[in-house]
mmCIF file of all heavy atoms in Angstrom:
data_model
loop_
_atom_site.group_PDB
_atom_site.id
_atom_site.type_symbol
_atom_site.label_atom_id
_atom_site.label_comp_id
_atom_site.label_asym_id
_atom_site.label_seq_id
_atom_site.Cartn_x
_atom_site.Cartn_y
_atom_site.Cartn_z
ATOM 1 N N LEU C 1 -6.117 6.800 -28.529
ATOM 2 C CA LEU C 1 -6.929 7.957 -28.895
ATOM 3 C C LEU C 1 -6.248 9.241 -28.434
ATOM 4 O O LEU C 1 -6.161 10.220 -29.172
ATOM 5 C CB LEU C 1 -8.314 7.827 -28.270
ATOM 6 C CG LEU C 1 -9.477 8.560 -28.940
ATOM 7 C CD1 LEU C 1 -9.691 8.056 -30.351
ATOM 8 C CD2 LEU C 1 -10.744 8.377 -28.113
ATOM 9 N N HIS C 2 -5.742 9.238 -27.215
ATOM 10 C CA HIS C 2 -5.002 10.390 -26.701
ATOM 11 C C HIS C 2 -3.769 10.659 -27.559
ATOM 12 O O HIS C 2 -3.483 11.807 -27.920
ATOM 13 C CB HIS C 2 -4.579 10.141 -25.254
ATOM 14 C CG HIS C 2 -5.684 10.261 -24.262
ATOM 15 N ND1 HIS C 2 -5.627 11.114 -23.183
ATOM 16 C CD2 HIS C 2 -6.895 9.645 -24.184
ATOM 17 C CE1 HIS C 2 -6.744 11.013 -22.477
ATOM 18 N NE2 HIS C 2 -7.522 10.119 -23.071
ATOM 19 N N GLN C 3 -3.055 9.582 -27.872
ATOM 20 C CA GLN C 3 -1.839 9.732 -28.665
ATOM 21 C C GLN C 3 -2.151 10.283 -30.049
ATOM 22 O O GLN C 3 -1.388 11.100 -30.589
ATOM 23 C CB GLN C 3 -1.130 8.375 -28.787
ATOM 24 C CG GLN C 3 -0.572 7.861 -27.475
ATOM 25 C CD GLN C 3 -0.057 6.434 -27.565
ATOM 26 O OE1 GLN C 3 -0.434 5.667 -28.464
ATOM 27 N NE2 GLN C 3 0.811 6.050 -26.638
ATOM 28 N N LEU C 4 -3.267 9.872 -30.621
ATOM 29 C CA LEU C 4 -3.645 10.347 -31.946
ATOM 30 C C LEU C 4 -3.957 11.839 -31.931
ATOM 31 O O LEU C 4 -3.548 12.577 -32.845
ATOM 32 C CB LEU C 4 -4.853 9.562 -32.459
ATOM 33 C CG LEU C 4 -5.443 10.012 -33.800
ATOM 34 C CD1 LEU C 4 -4.385 9.991 -34.905
ATOM 35 C CD2 LEU C 4 -6.636 9.138 -34.176
ATOM 36 N N VAL C 5 -4.666 12.297 -30.920
ATOM 37 C CA VAL C 5 -4.981 13.728 -30.837
ATOM 38 C C VAL C 5 -3.697 14.542 -30.699
ATOM 39 O O VAL C 5 -3.509 15.560 -31.379
ATOM 40 C CB VAL C 5 -5.933 14.005 -29.659
ATOM 41 C CG1 VAL C 5 -6.119 15.506 -29.455
ATOM 42 C CG2 VAL C 5 -7.290 13.345 -29.899
ATOM 43 N N VAL C 6 -2.802 14.091 -29.828
ATOM 44 C CA VAL C 6 -1.518 14.784 -29.664
ATOM 45 C C VAL C 6 -0.734 14.765 -30.972
ATOM 46 O O VAL C 6 -0.153 15.781 -31.382
ATOM 47 C CB VAL C 6 -0.699 14.138 -28.526
ATOM 48 C CG1 VAL C 6 0.731 14.678 -28.513
ATOM 49 C CG2 VAL C 6 -1.364 14.405 -27.188
ATOM 50 N N GLU C 7 -0.720 13.625 -31.635
ATOM 51 C CA GLU C 7 0.003 13.524 -32.903
ATOM 52 C C GLU C 7 -0.572 14.472 -33.957
ATOM 53 O O GLU C 7 0.176 15.088 -34.730
ATOM 54 C CB GLU C 7 -0.059 12.085 -33.422
ATOM 55 C CG GLU C 7 0.655 11.890 -34.753
ATOM 56 C CD GLU C 7 0.462 10.504 -35.340
ATOM 57 O OE1 GLU C 7 0.140 9.569 -34.574
ATOM 58 O OE2 GLU C 7 0.619 10.360 -36.571
ATOM 59 N N SER C 8 -1.894 14.624 -33.984
ATOM 60 C CA SER C 8 -2.508 15.502 -34.991
ATOM 61 C C SER C 8 -2.073 16.951 -34.790
ATOM 62 O O SER C 8 -1.804 17.672 -35.750
ATOM 63 C CB SER C 8 -4.033 15.381 -34.944
ATOM 64 O OG SER C 8 -4.581 15.970 -33.775
ATOM 65 N N VAL C 9 -1.972 17.386 -33.521
ATOM 66 C CA VAL C 9 -1.530 18.752 -33.244
ATOM 67 C C VAL C 9 -0.036 18.889 -33.521
ATOM 68 O O VAL C 9 0.414 19.918 -34.036
ATOM 69 C CB VAL C 9 -1.865 19.142 -31.789
ATOM 70 C CG1 VAL C 9 -1.359 20.551 -31.479
ATOM 71 C CG2 VAL C 9 -3.370 19.067 -31.546
ATOM 72 N N ALA C 10 0.730 17.865 -33.196
ATOM 73 C CA ALA C 10 2.170 17.901 -33.477
ATOM 74 C C ALA C 10 2.432 17.989 -34.980
ATOM 75 O O ALA C 10 3.346 18.696 -35.426
ATOM 76 C CB ALA C 10 2.844 16.668 -32.882
ATOM 77 N N ARG C 11 1.655 17.262 -35.757
ATOM 78 C CA ARG C 11 1.786 17.343 -37.221
ATOM 79 C C ARG C 11 1.462 18.758 -37.711
ATOM 80 O O ARG C 11 2.137 19.287 -38.599
ATOM 81 C CB ARG C 11 0.841 16.343 -37.881
ATOM 82 C CG ARG C 11 1.301 14.908 -37.876
ATOM 83 C CD ARG C 11 0.363 14.050 -38.713
ATOM 84 N NE ARG C 11 0.780 12.666 -38.805
ATOM 85 C CZ ARG C 11 0.167 11.756 -39.542
ATOM 86 N NH1 ARG C 11 -0.926 12.093 -40.243
ATOM 87 N NH2 ARG C 11 0.604 10.510 -39.587
ATOM 88 N N ALA C 12 0.437 19.344 -37.132
ATOM 89 C CA ALA C 12 0.082 20.711 -37.505
ATOM 90 C C ALA C 12 1.225 21.660 -37.175
ATOM 91 O O ALA C 12 1.556 22.562 -37.967
ATOM 92 C CB ALA C 12 -1.192 21.137 -36.779
ATOM 93 N N ASN C 13 1.831 21.461 -36.016
ATOM 94 C CA ASN C 13 2.959 22.303 -35.604
ATOM 95 C C ASN C 13 4.094 22.213 -36.627
ATOM 96 O O ASN C 13 4.639 23.239 -37.062
ATOM 97 C CB ASN C 13 3.443 21.837 -34.231
ATOM 98 C CG ASN C 13 4.519 22.736 -33.649
ATOM 99 O OD1 ASN C 13 4.292 23.909 -33.405
ATOM 100 N ND2 ASN C 13 5.697 22.172 -33.411
ATOM 101 N N ALA C 14 4.461 20.995 -37.017
ATOM 102 C CA ALA C 14 5.541 20.804 -37.981
ATOM 103 C C ALA C 14 5.183 21.404 -39.337
ATOM 104 O O ALA C 14 6.040 22.004 -40.006
ATOM 105 C CB ALA C 14 5.853 19.319 -38.120
ATOM 106 N N SER C 15 3.931 21.267 -39.741
ATOM 107 C CA SER C 15 3.511 21.784 -41.055
ATOM 108 C C SER C 15 3.589 23.306 -41.103
ATOM 109 O O SER C 15 3.998 23.883 -42.123
ATOM 110 C CB SER C 15 2.080 21.324 -41.359
ATOM 111 O OG SER C 15 2.004 19.918 -41.480
ATOM 112 N N ILE C 16 3.223 23.967 -40.020
ATOM 113 C CA ILE C 16 3.289 25.430 -39.981
ATOM 114 C C ILE C 16 4.738 25.900 -40.006
ATOM 115 O O ILE C 16 5.091 26.838 -40.742
ATOM 116 C CB ILE C 16 2.563 25.961 -38.725
ATOM 117 C CG1 ILE C 16 1.070 25.675 -38.812
ATOM 118 C CG2 ILE C 16 2.796 27.463 -38.558
ATOM 119 C CD1 ILE C 16 0.312 25.926 -37.534
ATOM 120 N N ILE C 17 5.591 25.249 -39.234
ATOM 121 C CA ILE C 17 7.005 25.628 -39.221
ATOM 122 C C ILE C 17 7.638 25.411 -40.599
ATOM 123 O O ILE C 17 8.397 26.259 -41.094
ATOM 124 C CB ILE C 17 7.757 24.832 -38.140
ATOM 125 C CG1 ILE C 17 7.274 25.278 -36.755
ATOM 126 C CG2 ILE C 17 9.272 25.022 -38.266
ATOM 127 C CD1 ILE C 17 7.834 24.461 -35.613
ATOM 128 N N ASP C 18 7.311 24.293 -41.247
ATOM 129 C CA ASP C 18 7.843 24.028 -42.586
ATOM 130 C C ASP C 18 7.391 25.100 -43.569
ATOM 131 O O ASP C 18 8.187 25.570 -44.399
ATOM 132 C CB ASP C 18 7.381 22.653 -43.078
ATOM 133 C CG ASP C 18 8.039 21.508 -42.319
ATOM 134 O OD1 ASP C 18 9.052 21.759 -41.634
ATOM 135 O OD2 ASP C 18 7.524 20.369 -42.402
ATOM 136 N N ALA C 19 6.125 25.486 -43.483
ATOM 137 C CA ALA C 19 5.602 26.515 -44.394
ATOM 138 C C ALA C 19 6.307 27.846 -44.174
ATOM 139 O O ALA C 19 6.635 28.562 -45.131
ATOM 140 C CB ALA C 19 4.097 26.670 -44.198
ATOM 141 N N ALA C 20 6.564 28.188 -42.913
ATOM 142 C CA ALA C 20 7.242 29.450 -42.599
ATOM 143 C C ALA C 20 8.685 29.440 -43.090
ATOM 144 O O ALA C 20 9.205 30.465 -43.532
ATOM 145 C CB ALA C 20 7.192 29.706 -41.103
ATOM 146 N N GLU C 21 9.328 28.279 -43.023
ATOM 147 C CA GLU C 21 10.712 28.184 -43.486
ATOM 148 C C GLU C 21 10.804 28.289 -45.006
ATOM 149 O O GLU C 21 11.793 28.784 -45.547
ATOM 150 C CB GLU C 21 11.326 26.874 -42.998
ATOM 151 C CG GLU C 21 11.570 26.851 -41.493
ATOM 152 C CD GLU C 21 12.112 25.522 -41.007
ATOM 153 O OE1 GLU C 21 12.112 24.554 -41.813
ATOM 154 O OE2 GLU C 21 12.542 25.438 -39.836
ATOM 155 N N ASN C 22 9.756 27.840 -45.693
ATOM 156 C CA ASN C 22 9.760 27.862 -47.160
ATOM 157 C C ASN C 22 9.249 29.172 -47.740
ATOM 158 O O ASN C 22 9.545 29.501 -48.889
ATOM 159 C CB ASN C 22 8.899 26.706 -47.701
ATOM 160 C CG ASN C 22 9.512 25.352 -47.412
ATOM 161 O OD1 ASN C 22 10.739 25.214 -47.390
ATOM 162 N ND2 ASN C 22 8.673 24.351 -47.191
ATOM 163 N N GLU C 23 8.479 29.930 -46.952
ATOM 164 C CA GLU C 23 7.903 31.185 -47.423
ATOM 165 C C GLU C 23 8.252 32.294 -46.434
ATOM 166 O O GLU C 23 7.640 32.392 -45.367
ATOM 167 C CB GLU C 23 6.383 31.070 -47.558
ATOM 168 C CG GLU C 23 5.914 30.011 -48.533
ATOM 169 C CD GLU C 23 6.212 30.398 -49.988
ATOM 170 O OE1 GLU C 23 6.454 31.595 -50.249
ATOM 171 O OE2 GLU C 23 6.195 29.490 -50.836
ATOM 172 N N PRO C 24 9.226 33.139 -46.744
ATOM 173 C CA PRO C 24 9.677 34.167 -45.790
ATOM 174 C C PRO C 24 8.571 35.081 -45.280
ATOM 175 O O PRO C 24 8.633 35.552 -44.142
ATOM 176 C CB PRO C 24 10.708 34.966 -46.602
ATOM 177 C CG PRO C 24 11.190 33.998 -47.639
ATOM 178 C CD PRO C 24 10.005 33.156 -47.986
ATOM 179 N N GLN C 25 7.531 35.329 -46.095
ATOM 180 C CA GLN C 25 6.469 36.229 -45.657
ATOM 181 C C GLN C 25 5.642 35.633 -44.525
ATOM 182 O O GLN C 25 4.876 36.338 -43.863
ATOM 183 C CB GLN C 25 5.547 36.605 -46.830
ATOM 184 C CG GLN C 25 4.683 35.483 -47.372
ATOM 185 C CD GLN C 25 5.353 34.727 -48.510
ATOM 186 O OE1 GLN C 25 6.577 34.618 -48.555
ATOM 187 N NE2 GLN C 25 4.554 34.237 -49.441
ATOM 188 N N PHE C 26 5.794 34.330 -44.298
ATOM 189 C CA PHE C 26 5.051 33.679 -43.221
ATOM 190 C C PHE C 26 5.889 33.513 -41.957
ATOM 191 O O PHE C 26 5.433 32.895 -40.992
ATOM 192 C CB PHE C 26 4.550 32.299 -43.670
ATOM 193 C CG PHE C 26 3.579 32.354 -44.815
ATOM 194 C CD1 PHE C 26 3.493 31.309 -45.727
ATOM 195 C CD2 PHE C 26 2.737 33.440 -44.982
ATOM 196 C CE1 PHE C 26 2.596 31.356 -46.782
ATOM 197 C CE2 PHE C 26 1.831 33.501 -46.046
ATOM 198 C CZ PHE C 26 1.761 32.444 -46.940
ATOM 199 N N HIS C 27 7.084 34.047 -41.942
ATOM 200 C CA HIS C 27 7.960 33.910 -40.781
ATOM 201 C C HIS C 27 7.304 34.526 -39.536
ATOM 202 O O HIS C 27 6.778 35.637 -39.589
ATOM 203 C CB HIS C 27 9.301 34.601 -41.033
ATOM 204 C CG HIS C 27 10.239 34.528 -39.864
ATOM 205 N ND1 HIS C 27 10.873 33.371 -39.494
ATOM 206 C CD2 HIS C 27 10.627 35.477 -38.964
ATOM 207 C CE1 HIS C 27 11.626 33.597 -38.430
ATOM 208 N NE2 HIS C 27 11.493 34.870 -38.078
ATOM 209 N N GLY C 28 7.331 33.786 -38.447
ATOM 210 C CA GLY C 28 6.768 34.279 -37.200
ATOM 211 C C GLY C 28 5.296 33.972 -36.996
ATOM 212 O O GLY C 28 4.730 34.346 -35.966
ATOM 213 N N MET C 29 4.677 33.296 -37.950
ATOM 214 C CA MET C 29 3.258 32.995 -37.773
ATOM 215 C C MET C 29 3.078 31.853 -36.777
ATOM 216 O O MET C 29 3.970 31.039 -36.534
ATOM 217 C CB MET C 29 2.603 32.636 -39.101
ATOM 218 C CG MET C 29 3.030 31.314 -39.714
ATOM 219 S SD MET C 29 2.136 30.990 -41.271
ATOM 220 C CE MET C 29 2.916 29.462 -41.800
ATOM 221 N N GLY C 30 1.915 31.807 -36.195
ATOM 222 C CA GLY C 30 1.572 30.752 -35.260
ATOM 223 C C GLY C 30 0.082 30.770 -35.005
ATOM 224 O O GLY C 30 -0.657 31.596 -35.563
ATOM 225 N N THR C 31 -0.374 29.887 -34.151
ATOM 226 C CA THR C 31 -1.810 29.809 -33.904
ATOM 227 C C THR C 31 -2.086 29.091 -32.585
ATOM 228 O O THR C 31 -1.280 28.274 -32.134
ATOM 229 C CB THR C 31 -2.535 29.065 -35.050
ATOM 230 O OG1 THR C 31 -3.938 29.070 -34.833
ATOM 231 C CG2 THR C 31 -2.051 27.626 -35.166
ATOM 232 N N THR C 32 -3.185 29.433 -31.969
ATOM 233 C CA THR C 32 -3.717 28.616 -30.883
ATOM 234 C C THR C 32 -4.462 27.451 -31.514
ATOM 235 O O THR C 32 -4.842 27.505 -32.691
ATOM 236 C CB THR C 32 -4.697 29.403 -30.003
ATOM 237 O OG1 THR C 32 -5.895 29.667 -30.748
ATOM 238 C CG2 THR C 32 -4.091 30.719 -29.546
ATOM 239 N N VAL C 33 -4.693 26.418 -30.740
ATOM 240 C CA VAL C 33 -5.509 25.289 -31.199
ATOM 241 C C VAL C 33 -6.241 24.702 -30.004
ATOM 242 O O VAL C 33 -5.661 24.561 -28.921
ATOM 243 C CB VAL C 33 -4.654 24.184 -31.869
ATOM 244 C CG1 VAL C 33 -5.468 22.907 -32.031
ATOM 245 C CG2 VAL C 33 -4.144 24.618 -33.225
ATOM 246 N N VAL C 34 -7.498 24.357 -30.200
ATOM 247 C CA VAL C 34 -8.225 23.542 -29.223
ATOM 248 C C VAL C 34 -8.978 22.475 -30.010
ATOM 249 O O VAL C 34 -9.639 22.772 -31.013
ATOM 250 C CB VAL C 34 -9.160 24.398 -28.328
ATOM 251 C CG1 VAL C 34 -10.142 25.205 -29.148
ATOM 252 C CG2 VAL C 34 -9.889 23.527 -27.324
ATOM 253 N N VAL C 35 -8.799 21.225 -29.582
ATOM 254 C CA VAL C 35 -9.380 20.067 -30.269
ATOM 255 C C VAL C 35 -10.210 19.274 -29.279
ATOM 256 O O VAL C 35 -9.718 18.933 -28.187
ATOM 257 C CB VAL C 35 -8.281 19.149 -30.848
ATOM 258 C CG1 VAL C 35 -8.915 17.982 -31.611
ATOM 259 C CG2 VAL C 35 -7.325 19.920 -31.740
ATOM 260 N N GLY C 36 -11.441 18.964 -29.647
ATOM 261 C CA GLY C 36 -12.284 18.108 -28.828
ATOM 262 C C GLY C 36 -12.685 16.877 -29.611
ATOM 263 O O GLY C 36 -13.225 16.992 -30.713
#
């Protein structure tokens, strides 16, 4: 369960970076996250 929560945030991290690399206007974007 712990590993799944960490994996879900890690996937989100990779997805945001991929989107920024594919769309220059999104370069430098990021976000906080809290998951319960």
Side-chain angles (χ1 to χ4, degrees):
L1 205 62
H2 285 236
Q3 293 172 339
L4 176 57
V5 173
V6 170
E7 179 186 338
S8 71
V9 178
R11 282 187 177 184
N13 186 62
S15 296
I16 294 169
I17 292 174
D18 290 344
E21 290 177 350
N22 292 327
E23 300 290 342
Q25 69 269 31
F26 297 150
H27 179 72
M29 69 178 176
T31 184
T32 69
V33 167
V34 56
V35 182

